[in-house]
Amino acid sequence: MSAPSQERLCEACAHLSEADPALAKAHSEIGPPNWRVVEPGYAGLARMIAFQQISTKAAAAIWGRVCDAVGEITPSAMLDASDETLRGCGLSRPKISHLRAIAEANTCGDLPLETLGNHDIDDARARLVAVKGIGPWTADVFLMTATGALDAFPAGDVGLMESYRLLSGDQEKLKPKDFSARAEGWRPFRGVAAHLLWDWINAQRDRDIAPVSTG
Protein backbone atom coordinates (compact mmCIF):
# COMPACT_ATOMS: atom_id res chain seq x y z
CA MET A 1 0.00 0.00 0.00
CA SER A 2 1.28 3.45 -0.85
CA ALA A 3 0.35 7.02 0.00
CA PRO A 4 2.15 10.31 -0.60
CA SER A 5 3.86 11.98 2.34
CA GLN A 6 2.20 14.90 4.09
CA GLU A 7 4.93 17.14 2.71
CA ARG A 8 4.15 15.99 -0.82
CA LEU A 9 0.41 16.51 -0.29
CA CYS A 10 1.01 20.05 0.97
CA GLU A 11 3.20 20.78 -2.04
CA ALA A 12 0.49 19.44 -4.35
CA CYS A 13 -2.24 21.45 -2.61
CA ALA A 14 -0.22 24.65 -3.00
CA HIS A 15 0.13 23.95 -6.72
CA LEU A 16 -3.59 23.21 -7.09
CA SER A 17 -4.60 26.31 -5.12
CA GLU A 18 -2.68 28.46 -7.58
CA ALA A 19 -4.16 26.59 -10.54
CA ASP A 20 -7.86 26.79 -9.62
CA PRO A 21 -9.82 29.04 -7.21
CA ALA A 22 -12.30 26.23 -6.45
CA LEU A 23 -9.52 23.96 -5.26
CA ALA A 24 -7.99 26.85 -3.31
CA LYS A 25 -11.32 27.24 -1.50
CA ALA A 26 -11.45 23.52 -0.71
CA HIS A 27 -7.89 23.54 0.62
CA SER A 28 -8.46 26.63 2.73
CA GLU A 29 -11.47 25.02 4.39
CA ILE A 30 -10.26 21.45 4.99
CA GLY A 31 -6.48 21.54 4.60
CA PRO A 32 -4.58 18.68 2.92
CA PRO A 33 -6.89 15.74 2.14
CA ASN A 34 -6.75 12.29 3.67
CA TRP A 35 -5.33 9.88 1.10
CA ARG A 36 -7.39 6.74 0.63
CA VAL A 37 -5.37 3.51 0.61
CA VAL A 38 -6.24 -0.03 -0.48
CA GLU A 39 -4.18 -3.19 -0.81
CA PRO A 40 -2.13 -3.10 -4.04
CA GLY A 41 -2.88 -6.72 -5.00
CA TYR A 42 -5.85 -8.79 -6.05
CA ALA A 43 -7.73 -8.57 -2.76
CA GLY A 44 -7.89 -4.78 -2.87
CA LEU A 45 -9.18 -4.66 -6.42
CA ALA A 46 -11.63 -7.51 -5.84
CA ARG A 47 -13.11 -5.65 -2.90
CA MET A 48 -13.55 -2.53 -5.04
CA ILE A 49 -15.44 -4.54 -7.65
CA ALA A 50 -17.67 -6.14 -5.02
CA PHE A 51 -18.58 -2.75 -3.52
CA GLN A 52 -19.65 -1.13 -6.79
CA GLN A 53 -23.26 -0.16 -7.58
CA ILE A 54 -24.74 -1.17 -4.22
CA SER A 55 -24.88 0.50 -0.83
CA THR A 56 -21.81 0.38 1.38
CA LYS A 57 -23.73 -1.47 4.08
CA ALA A 58 -24.95 -4.16 1.70
CA ALA A 59 -21.53 -4.49 0.07
CA ALA A 60 -19.80 -4.86 3.42
CA ALA A 61 -22.16 -7.67 4.40
CA ILE A 62 -21.64 -9.47 1.09
CA TRP A 63 -17.87 -9.07 1.22
CA GLY A 64 -17.78 -10.36 4.77
CA ARG A 65 -19.59 -13.51 3.65
CA VAL A 66 -17.18 -13.91 0.72
CA CYS A 67 -14.19 -13.68 3.06
CA ASP A 68 -15.75 -16.23 5.42
CA ALA A 69 -16.52 -18.63 2.57
CA VAL A 70 -13.32 -18.26 0.55
CA GLY A 71 -10.77 -17.42 3.22
CA GLU A 72 -7.81 -15.36 2.06
CA ILE A 73 -8.84 -13.45 -1.06
CA THR A 74 -6.36 -14.59 -3.70
CA PRO A 75 -6.74 -15.25 -7.44
CA SER A 76 -6.51 -19.01 -6.90
CA ALA A 77 -9.07 -18.97 -4.09
CA MET A 78 -11.53 -17.03 -6.24
CA LEU A 79 -11.01 -19.34 -9.21
CA ASP A 80 -11.46 -22.41 -7.02
CA ALA A 81 -14.67 -21.18 -5.38
CA SER A 82 -17.82 -22.46 -7.04
CA ASP A 83 -20.42 -20.17 -8.55
CA GLU A 84 -22.91 -21.59 -6.07
CA THR A 85 -20.71 -20.57 -3.15
CA LEU A 86 -20.13 -17.05 -4.45
CA ARG A 87 -23.76 -16.55 -5.39
CA GLY A 88 -24.72 -17.72 -1.91
CA CYS A 89 -22.58 -14.90 -0.50
CA GLY A 90 -24.63 -12.39 -2.46
CA LEU A 91 -22.35 -11.67 -5.42
CA SER A 92 -24.15 -11.14 -8.73
CA ARG A 93 -23.27 -13.25 -11.74
CA PRO A 94 -21.58 -10.34 -13.57
CA LYS A 95 -19.41 -9.57 -10.54
CA ILE A 96 -18.40 -13.21 -10.21
CA SER A 97 -17.44 -13.18 -13.88
CA HIS A 98 -15.41 -10.01 -13.42
CA LEU A 99 -13.63 -11.27 -10.31
CA ARG A 100 -12.67 -14.45 -12.15
CA ALA A 101 -11.45 -12.54 -15.22
CA ILE A 102 -9.24 -10.35 -13.03
CA ALA A 103 -7.95 -13.40 -11.17
CA GLU A 104 -7.04 -15.11 -14.44
CA ALA A 105 -5.29 -12.00 -15.80
CA ASN A 106 -3.33 -11.64 -12.58
CA THR A 107 -2.36 -15.31 -12.52
CA CYS A 108 -1.11 -15.41 -16.11
CA GLY A 109 0.87 -12.19 -15.74
CA ASP A 110 -1.20 -9.95 -18.02
CA LEU A 111 -2.20 -7.85 -15.01
CA PRO A 112 0.66 -7.67 -12.47
CA LEU A 113 -1.36 -5.94 -9.76
CA GLU A 114 1.33 -6.09 -7.11
CA THR A 115 3.84 -4.20 -9.26
CA LEU A 116 1.62 -1.84 -11.26
CA GLY A 117 3.13 1.07 -9.38
CA ASN A 118 6.40 0.42 -11.17
CA HIS A 119 4.78 0.94 -14.57
CA ASP A 120 4.15 4.18 -16.41
CA ILE A 121 0.67 5.35 -15.38
CA ASP A 122 -0.72 5.17 -18.92
CA ASP A 123 0.59 1.63 -19.35
CA ALA A 124 -0.79 0.62 -15.95
CA ARG A 125 -4.21 2.05 -16.80
CA ALA A 126 -4.21 0.31 -20.19
CA ARG A 127 -3.41 -3.03 -18.54
CA LEU A 128 -6.27 -2.56 -16.09
CA VAL A 129 -9.00 -1.55 -18.54
CA ALA A 130 -8.03 -4.36 -20.90
CA VAL A 131 -9.49 -6.82 -18.38
CA LYS A 132 -13.21 -7.54 -18.37
CA GLY A 133 -14.94 -5.80 -15.48
CA ILE A 134 -12.40 -3.00 -14.99
CA GLY A 135 -13.62 0.32 -16.35
CA PRO A 136 -11.78 3.66 -16.46
CA TRP A 137 -13.19 4.80 -13.08
CA THR A 138 -12.10 1.61 -11.32
CA ALA A 139 -8.68 1.72 -12.98
CA ASP A 140 -7.98 5.28 -11.90
CA VAL A 141 -9.25 4.83 -8.36
CA PHE A 142 -7.17 1.67 -7.98
CA LEU A 143 -4.07 3.44 -9.27
CA MET A 144 -4.63 6.29 -6.83
CA THR A 145 -5.34 4.23 -3.77
CA ALA A 146 -3.18 1.16 -4.36
CA THR A 147 -0.09 2.70 -5.97
CA GLY A 148 -0.27 6.28 -4.71
CA ALA A 149 -0.41 7.68 -8.26
CA LEU A 150 -0.70 11.44 -7.79
CA ASP A 151 -2.08 12.12 -11.27
CA ALA A 152 -4.61 9.29 -11.64
CA PHE A 153 -8.04 10.87 -11.96
CA PRO A 154 -11.54 9.30 -12.21
CA ALA A 155 -12.92 12.09 -14.39
CA GLY A 156 -16.47 10.71 -14.62
CA ASP A 157 -16.97 10.52 -10.86
CA VAL A 158 -20.32 12.18 -10.07
CA GLY A 159 -19.24 13.18 -6.56
CA LEU A 160 -16.19 15.00 -7.88
CA MET A 161 -18.24 16.91 -10.43
CA GLU A 162 -20.84 17.91 -7.83
CA SER A 163 -18.15 19.00 -5.38
CA TYR A 164 -16.52 21.14 -8.04
CA ARG A 165 -19.87 22.67 -8.99
CA LEU A 166 -20.57 23.71 -5.42
CA LEU A 167 -17.08 25.10 -4.89
CA SER A 168 -17.29 27.04 -8.16
CA GLY A 169 -20.74 28.39 -7.42
CA ASP A 170 -22.04 27.13 -10.76
CA GLN A 171 -25.71 26.33 -11.32
CA GLU A 172 -25.02 23.13 -13.26
CA LYS A 173 -22.32 20.48 -13.21
CA LEU A 174 -19.81 20.47 -16.01
CA LYS A 175 -20.31 17.72 -18.54
CA PRO A 176 -17.80 14.85 -18.11
CA LYS A 177 -15.85 15.91 -21.20
CA ASP A 178 -15.62 19.51 -19.97
CA PHE A 179 -14.73 18.38 -16.46
CA SER A 180 -11.88 16.28 -17.86
CA ALA A 181 -10.66 19.29 -19.82
CA ARG A 182 -10.77 21.46 -16.69
CA ALA A 183 -8.79 18.83 -14.80
CA GLU A 184 -5.98 19.04 -17.36
CA GLY A 185 -4.97 22.23 -15.60
CA TRP A 186 -4.44 20.29 -12.37
CA ARG A 187 -1.67 18.06 -13.70
CA PRO A 188 0.50 16.50 -12.32
CA PHE A 189 -1.66 16.36 -9.18
CA ARG A 190 -5.12 15.42 -10.43
CA GLY A 191 -5.28 12.58 -7.90
CA VAL A 192 -4.73 15.05 -5.08
CA ALA A 193 -7.44 17.28 -6.57
CA ALA A 194 -9.80 14.30 -6.52
CA HIS A 195 -9.09 13.68 -2.84
CA LEU A 196 -9.57 17.37 -2.06
CA LEU A 197 -12.94 17.40 -3.81
CA TRP A 198 -14.07 14.17 -2.13
CA ASP A 199 -13.03 15.31 1.34
CA TRP A 200 -14.57 18.75 0.91
CA ILE A 201 -18.01 17.50 -0.16
CA ASN A 202 -17.95 14.82 2.56
CA ALA A 203 -17.21 17.53 5.11
CA GLN A 204 -20.22 19.53 3.85
CA ARG A 205 -22.47 16.47 4.15
CA ASP A 206 -21.20 15.73 7.65
CA ARG A 207 -21.86 19.33 8.65
CA ASP A 208 -25.37 19.26 7.20
CA ILE A 209 -26.37 16.14 9.13
CA ALA A 210 -24.68 17.09 12.40
CA PRO A 211 -27.17 17.34 15.31
CA VAL A 212 -28.05 20.83 16.48
CA SER A 213 -26.94 21.52 20.04
CA THR A 214 -29.68 22.57 22.43
CA GLY A 215 -27.37 23.16 25.37
Side-chain angles (χ1 to χ4, degrees):
M1 292 177 279
S2 178
S5 67
Q6 194 70 9
E7 180 180 3
R8 187 65 168 151
L9 281 176
C10 289
E11 174 190 340
C13 287
H15 173 92
L16 293 168
S17 295
E18 291 184 5
D20 195 306
L23 298 180
K25 183 176 188 295
H27 183 226
S28 69
E29 292 184 10
I30 66 170
N34 296 307
W35 193 268
R36 293 153 176 78
V37 177
V38 302
E39 295 179 58
Y42 178 78
L45 182 54
R47 185 180 185 278
M48 285 179 60
I49 297 295
F51 270 65
Q52 289 176 4
Q53 300 178 327
I54 56 176
S55 72
T56 300
K57 183 177 181 180
I62 291 170
W63 192 243
R65 291 194 290 270
V66 172
C67 292
D68 289 341
V70 174
E72 183 180 3
I73 305 299
T74 64
S76 59
M78 195 60 68
L79 291 171
D80 288 343
S82 69
D83 285 359
E84 182 180 16
T85 295
L86 297 176
R87 286 282 292 161
C89 295
L91 287 173
S92 66
R93 293 189 187 280
K95 286 188 177 180
I96 292 170
S97 176
H98 297 161
L99 292 172
R100 293 195 193 285
I102 296 167
E104 289 171 354
N106 188 216
T107 300
C108 75
D110 288 344
L111 186 62
L113 291 169
E114 296 76 11
T115 59
L116 272 184
N118 299 330
H119 292 251
D120 171 82
I121 188 171
D122 291 329
D123 175 57
R125 184 185 293 109
R127 285 173 176 265
L128 284 161
V129 299
V131 180
K132 178 183 177 182
I134 304 178
W137 183 90
T138 302
D140 280 305
V141 172
F142 184 77
L143 287 171
M144 272 197 300
T145 57
T147 75
L150 294 175
D151 201 41
F153 186 69
D157 187 279
V158 175
L160 294 182
M161 291 190 285
E162 176 63 8
S163 181
Y164 190 77
R165 182 190 73 79
L166 293 170
L167 283 161
S168 302
D170 295 334
Q171 291 298 312
E172 297 182 359
K173 292 194 294 287
L174 291 171
K175 295 179 180 178
K177 183 178 179 180
D178 295 330
F179 187 55
S180 295
R182 182 68 55 85
E184 287 297 310
W186 306 339
R187 288 182 182 272
F189 299 119
R190 292 180 302 164
V192 181
H195 280 82
L196 264 176
L197 292 170
W198 276 329
D199 278 8
W200 184 84
I201 198 168
N202 286 338
Q204 306 313 301
R205 290 166 177 164
D206 290 345
R207 183 194 63 188
D208 291 342
I209 65 174
V212 177
S213 174
T214 58

